[in-house]
Amino acid sequence: MGHIGLGVAAGLGHEVDSRAPLVPPPWNRFRASVHTMTEQTLDRPGARTALQRRVLAATGVSYVIVLLDTSIVNVALNDISGSLGIRIDGLQWVVDAYTLAFAGLLLTGGTLGDRWGARRTYLAGLLVFTAASATCGLASGLPVLIAGRIVQGLGAALLVPAALTLINHAHPVAVQRARAVGIWMSLGGAAMAAGPLVGGGLVAVFGWRSIFFVNVPIGFVGLLLARRVTDPPMPPVRRQVDLIGLTSGILALAAPMGVLIEGRRLGWTSPPILAGIALGVAAIVVFLVAESRSTRPMLPLSLFRHRLFAASTYASVTSAFVFYGLLFVTSLYFQQVRGSSPLEAGAALLPMTVMVALGGYYSDRIARLLGARWSMCAAFCAYAIGAGGLLAFGPRSPYEMALAPMVIIGLAGGFISPAATAPALGTVTKDRSGIAAAALNSARQSGSTAGVAVFGTLAATLHPFVNGLRAALLVTGAASVIAALVWLLTVPGRADPDLCR
């Protein structure tokens, strides 16, 4: 579940420039005085509680639709394909366009929140997301649908960091803040878990366009709820947008995904694919050079000098790669191979998605019981075991054969995200926790995008579809075992108690 929220929920601290003037300019003094009066008003009995409820209601609504869109679209893919005449590579773009935009713009979304104000950025992001959802529902062809999904990702990248900032401001007491973030994340987890079933029901009754139109009334409710939310003060020094890092980072993500998705159709040695490979390599080099030389980088590369942070990032990427890649191909498998309706496919996937929420809920307890080192290794081994179990699940096999493997995969996916976040954030100082959390979340989104691209390409290349699914399951097993070994060699056993705090 926490592939979106868990990475940023740990904190969105603002960087403070040591060169900032000791005496703020007149406008900042005026704004500070207004904020002081607002805080005094909020200190009245009941006023703070009312604000907290409004903030949690508004941000909870938006988080529901953001996470709903990570899973609801999968059960509609078969109907979208038939309605618009889209092949599997086009379906990969329908899924990946959203996560690519979200991953590429998330770090910048936090910066824009600093510059524009959290409330204004949140409202803008929710409005953009809602309008883009309507555009997706009205799409008459693949280009418009993909464009709408990209804009949805932009809206999500704006509103998610701003939502956490609003929650942090409304809950100054650490215990209250932790409780509020837990509620906020549980709403998203419930939405993500229910996505396939809700999507299947909507497609069965109203058609595939309804999975996008359903966001419109929910989005407007969120906009109405956010009207009375108080805007937190802006940081003394607002960060500048790292345009070079932003542009090169997006290209570094998008070019390899484009090569993977389009390579089979265009030919792996065709000029567009070779150009895409060259563009991707160049973008990665430019990004690394720009971020290493920048005084205020979008993504501080120094974070990855700590072995534990690097290992946590790798674990997060691998988990998202495996889970969302499998969610994509198994949804198509149930509908295209086993002949399930969208509703039946949604119900079939429910054990896996529900277990994600359950695994996340019990993640801390499991990590404390087994230790950070061995619990993570066990989770990746569970991925491999679940994938092995699904290898025996054929087109005519009873559904019960897939039940236990999907439960195991869901539990592993739910556990790994928070379990990797906690030790990673323990390697950075408090003032860098925000950027570190956003980096982890962007890594997860990148992993999910790669999973859909790789597993979808395997399914499209290896015929019949069953062979592609089996290849994806073998890749899942191999990637999971490698991730377990990386974690085992990186995290010392003696560090377990500290990492689980």
Side-chain angles (χ1 to χ4, degrees):
M1 177 272 290
H3 294 273
I4 291 181
L6 288 171
V8 291
L12 291 168
H14 300 301
E15 298 174 84
V16 178
D17 196 334
S18 60
R19 298 168 294 179
L22 296 178
V23 180
W27 168 246
N28 284 350
R29 291 200 300 269
F30 170 75
R31 188 167 56 196
S33 65
V34 171
H35 173 66
T36 300
M37 290 187 290
T38 302
E39 290 297 313
Q40 291 173 349
T41 301
L42 291 176
D43 286 338
R44 297 174 184 171
R48 173 70 68 176
T49 301
L51 171 66
Q52 292 171 346
R53 290 174 179 170
R54 289 198 300 269
V55 168
L56 197 53
T59 57
V61 165
S62 65
Y63 197 46
V64 163
I65 59 175
V66 166
L67 271 195
L68 194 65
D69 264 47
T70 65
S71 60
I72 194 173
V73 72
N74 285 279
V75 294
L77 292 174
N78 200 49
D79 282 49
I80 293 174
S81 174
S83 174
L84 301 181
I86 300 174
R87 296 174 301 187
I88 193 168
D89 52 348
L91 297 179
Q92 289 172 275
W93 281 119
V94 170
V95 176
D96 273 355
Y98 177 68
T99 51
L100 268 174
F102 190 20
L105 297 170
L106 181 62
L107 293 170
T108 302
T111 300
L112 293 176
D114 286 350
R115 294 182 62 81
W116 297 345
R119 179 178 175 273
R120 185 182 302 174
T121 305
Y122 172 81
L123 289 172
L126 185 53
L127 183 60
V128 167
F129 187 94
T130 303
S133 298
T135 301
C136 291
L138 295 170
S140 58
L142 182 60
V144 176
L145 182 56
I146 290 176
R149 292 286 284 169
I150 291 173
V151 179
Q152 274 189 315
L154 167 62
L158 289 174
L159 71 86
V160 168
L164 263 298
T165 301
L166 292 172
I167 291 174
N168 285 345
H169 170 62
H171 300 80
V173 180
V175 175
Q176 294 178 338
R177 186 184 309 121
R179 186 182 302 117
V181 170
I183 294 172
W184 182 76
M185 288 167 51
S186 66
L187 290 172
M192 192 271 179
L197 188 61
V198 171
L202 288 171
V203 173
V205 178
F206 302 107
W208 67 266
R209 298 180 187 276
S210 62
I211 67 168
F212 298 112
F213 284 136
V214 72
N215 292 336
V216 176
I218 299 176
F220 277 117
V221 170
L223 290 169
L224 291 174
L225 291 172
R227 287 188 308 164
R228 298 175 59 197
V229 170
T230 303
D231 206 1
M234 294 184 182
V237 175
R238 288 177 282 173
R239 292 178 288 157
Q240 298 294 318
V241 176
D242 181 2
L243 292 177
I244 297 178
L246 171 63
T247 304
S248 59
I250 292 176
L251 290 176
L253 289 174
M257 297 307 106
V259 168
L260 286 171
I261 293 172
E262 299 294 337
R264 182 187 66 86
R265 183 176 66 87
L266 298 177
W268 296 105
T269 58
S270 64
I273 295 302
L274 294 177
I277 294 173
L279 177 61
V281 172
I284 292 172
V285 172
V286 171
F287 179 80
L288 294 175
V289 171
E291 297 305 281
S292 63
R293 293 181 177 180
S294 175
T295 56
R296 300 182 68 81
M298 180 179 72
L299 177 61
L301 299 181
S302 58
L303 294 172
F304 300 96
R305 293 174 186 165
H306 198 293
R307 291 178 61 195
L308 183 54
F309 187 90
S312 296
T313 304
Y314 180 75
S316 298
V317 169
T318 303
S319 179
F321 171 85
V322 165
F323 181 82
Y324 285 99
L326 287 180
L327 186 63
F328 178 82
V329 292
T330 52
S331 176
L332 289 175
Y333 176 76
F334 275 112
Q335 296 180 73
Q336 294 187 2
V337 178
R338 293 181 64 90
S340 302
S341 68
L343 182 58
E344 290 169 340
L349 293 170
L350 196 60
M352 186 163 70
T353 55
V354 167
M355 288 302 108
V356 172
L358 195 62
Y361 182 78
Y362 287 105
S363 177
D364 181 65
R365 302 181 193 182
I366 297 172
R368 289 178 181 274
L369 178 65
L370 301 179
R373 188 188 195 197
W374 294 108
S375 60
M376 184 70 77
C377 291
F380 276 113
C381 289
Y383 262 145
I385 292 171
L390 285 180
L391 280 172
F393 181 58
R396 293 180 176 81
S397 301
Y399 170 72
E400 289 73 19
M401 285 186 62
L403 190 58
M406 287 198 297
V407 167
I408 292 172
I409 290 171
L411 283 171
F415 169 83
I416 290 172
S417 184
T421 299
L425 294 181
T427 67
V428 300
T429 56
K430 185 177 180 181
D431 63 311
R432 305 187 82 189
S433 61
I435 193 67
L440 285 169
N441 194 46
S442 294
R444 292 187 187 102
Q445 298 305 312
S446 302
S448 67
T449 302
V452 172
V454 172
F455 287 14
T457 299
L458 290 173
T461 304
L462 303 176
H463 298 288
F465 192 98
V466 174
N467 290 338
L469 175 62
R470 287 172 177 165
L473 292 170
L474 291 173
V475 171
T476 294
S480 299
V481 170
I482 292 172
L485 291 175
V486 169
W487 189 265
L488 184 66
L489 295 174
T490 303
V491 180
R494 65 179 182 276
D496 282 357
D498 295 330
L499 298 177
C500 297
R501 286 178 185 172

